Amino acid sequence: MDAVDRKILALLQQNADISISDLAEEIGLTATPCWRRMQRLQQAGLITRKVALLDAQKLGLSMTVFVQVKAAQHDGKWLDRFARHASSFDEVVEFYRMSGEYDYLLKVMVKDMQCFDHFYKRLVNGIDLNDVTSSFAMEQIKYSTAMPLQHL
Amino acid sequence: MDAVDRKILALLQQNADISISDLAEEIGLTATPCWRRMQRLQQAGLITRKVALLDAQKLGLSMTVFVQVKAAQHDGKWLDRFARHASSFDEVVEFYRMSGEYDYLLKVMVKDMQCFDHFYKRLVNGIDLNDVTSSFAMEQIKYSTAMPLQHL
DNA sequence: AGTGAAATTCCTCACGA
DNA sequence: TCGTGAGGAATTTCACT
């Protein structure tokens, strides 16, 4: 992966709608080699897929909650079960196993507090948890799907 | 926005590469009205843009850190200055103003610990902060840009 | 709002440098 | 590995239902 490939990735992760010819022009190439590079990057799995990003506010999904969880048990079986359980909710938009005091961090998107309560009950009902604490986002200051390619 | 529009959004946020004719077929329409609906959804800003998602692992961006920050002051001027300061880093991929003990939550993506340290120094140097704590993600169990449209 | 066809643009694959 | 050109497929527009 050279500098040209990195430029292609940088442009595509900002705007995947750009036509091959425009993309080619931006990086100082013609359409065909540019297209071939993009194909390679896709086949190599560097580009996983292209998606449309939606406006959460306009959709009425105004509530973002970060839920921190402490595991009830620390054996592999429990971990695996919890991973599958929490992943299955489509309100859970991101989900990490963490170092530190809490074992898991979930980013949850819902319409309102009632929906969050409903989600919360379903989350804790399915499985044994030790400690669950929710922090509410008041304001989204930045959200980007673009990775910092500058620093590679 | 009716059920057909919602179905278009649901499909496009999973895969923006789908052709208009395939999309139209999926929702039981022909290409033109489907295309017109998509245009409307884009003009209305419900679809903000289309982007390529990259594989962080394969790029070598294997480190995700959640940084929690307490404000030094709580006047609007400081808040605005901090929002601009932290947003300016492209390592900061998400950034929220929070309720609860900590005022801000930042999701940071970097290559390794050295890069994180470099970022951290630049973050705290630019501005006066009261308390900064970093939690490291050991494993990404789920990451999705798709909003839960089911629950609207 | 939906259909079908026409025009235009873009993607894709030859081949040559 | 890049560029040119041609064929074919897709998008986009338009007139009509």
Side-chain angles (χ1 to χ4, degrees):
Chain A
M1 219 212 13
D2 59 5
V4 178
D5 282 341
R6 223 168 304 132
K7 199 155 184 190
I8 291 175
L9 293 176
L11 288 166
L12 284 178
Q13 76 175 343
Q14 296 296 341
N15 176 23
D17 252 348
I18 189 171
S19 75
I20 290 285
S21 39
D22 286 353
L23 182 64
E25 195 177 6
E26 289 260 15
I27 60 177
L29 241 59
T30 49
T32 303
C34 178
W35 177 82
R36 276 202 285 253
R37 277 171 182 270
M38 198 179 82
Q39 291 296 98
R40 258 197 324 122
L41 291 167
Q42 241 156 356
Q43 246 120 51
L46 282 164
I47 298 172
T48 52
R49 56 174 169 169
K50 296 178 185 171
V51 299
L53 298 181
L54 310 184
D55 188 313
Q57 294 291 330
K58 288 185 179 154
L59 284 168
L61 285 166
S62 49
M63 198 167 209
T64 300
V65 189
F66 288 90
V67 179
Q68 288 175 296
V69 174
K70 283 185 187 170
Q73 302 149 47
H74 284 88
D75 56 291
K77 239 170 95 180
W78 188 94
L79 267 67
D80 194 54
R81 212 160 74 78
F82 179 62
R84 265 207 302 273
H85 175 63
S87 293
S88 71
F89 297 92
D90 56 355
E91 295 100 326
V92 175
V93 156
E94 298 185 38
F95 181 17
Y96 300 88
R97 188 162 60 82
M98 302 293 294
S99 74
E101 199 182 355
Y102 285 90
D103 298 303
Y104 295 96
L105 176 64
L106 288 75
K107 180 181 160 194
V108 178
M109 292 186 73
V110 286
K111 197 176 63 182
D112 51 36
M113 191 54 92
Q114 193 185 345
C115 288
F116 180 69
D117 188 47
H118 181 231
F119 160 78
Y120 185 89
K121 281 175 184 157
R122 283 181 296 150
L123 178 72
V124 299
N125 255 331
I127 198 160
D128 190 31
L129 303 175
N130 225 349
D131 186 4
V132 185
T133 173
S134 304
S135 306
F136 295 85
M138 317 271 295
E139 182 190 0
Q140 184 182 73
I141 300 169
K142 184 176 183 177
Y143 175 79
S144 172
T145 57
M147 322 239 154
L149 301 176
Q150 261 66 35
H151 310 80
L152 288 180
Chain B
M1 216 209 19
D2 60 4
V4 177
D5 282 341
R6 222 169 302 133
K7 199 155 185 189
I8 292 175
L9 293 176
L11 288 167
L12 284 177
Q13 77 173 342
Q14 295 296 340
N15 176 22
D17 252 348
I18 189 171
S19 75
I20 290 285
S21 39
D22 286 353
L23 182 63
E25 193 177 10
E26 289 259 18
I27 60 176
L29 238 60
T30 47
T32 305
C34 179
W35 179 82
R36 277 204 284 252
R37 277 172 182 271
M38 199 179 80
Q39 291 297 99
R40 257 199 321 124
L41 291 167
Q42 243 157 352
Q43 247 119 51
L46 281 163
I47 299 170
T48 51
R49 55 177 170 170
K50 296 178 185 172
V51 299
L53 299 180
L54 309 185
D55 188 313
Q57 293 292 329
K58 288 184 178 155
L59 284 168
L61 286 166
S62 48
M63 199 167 210
T64 301
V65 189
F66 288 89
V67 178
Q68 288 175 296
V69 173
K70 281 185 189 172
Q73 301 150 47
H74 285 87
D75 56 293
K77 239 170 97 179
W78 188 94
L79 268 68
D80 194 53
R81 213 160 74 80
F82 178 63
R84 266 206 302 272
H85 176 62
S87 294
S88 71
F89 297 92
D90 57 353
E91 295 100 325
V92 175
V93 156
E94 298 184 40
F95 181 18
Y96 300 88
R97 189 162 59 81
M98 302 294 292
S99 75
E101 199 182 354
Y102 285 90
D103 298 304
Y104 294 97
L105 177 64
L106 288 76
K107 181 181 159 193
V108 179
M109 292 186 74
V110 287
K111 197 175 63 182
D112 52 35
M113 190 56 92
Q114 193 185 345
C115 289
F116 180 69
D117 187 47
H118 180 230
F119 159 78
Y120 185 88
K121 282 175 185 156
R122 283 181 295 149
L123 178 72
V124 300
N125 255 332
I127 198 160
D128 190 30
L129 302 175
N130 224 349
D131 186 4
V132 185
T133 174
S134 304
S135 307
F136 295 86
M138 317 269 297
E139 181 190 359
Q140 183 183 72
I141 300 169
K142 184 177 184 178
Y143 175 79
S144 173
T145 57
M147 322 240 154
L149 301 176
Q150 261 66 36
H151 308 81
L152 290 180

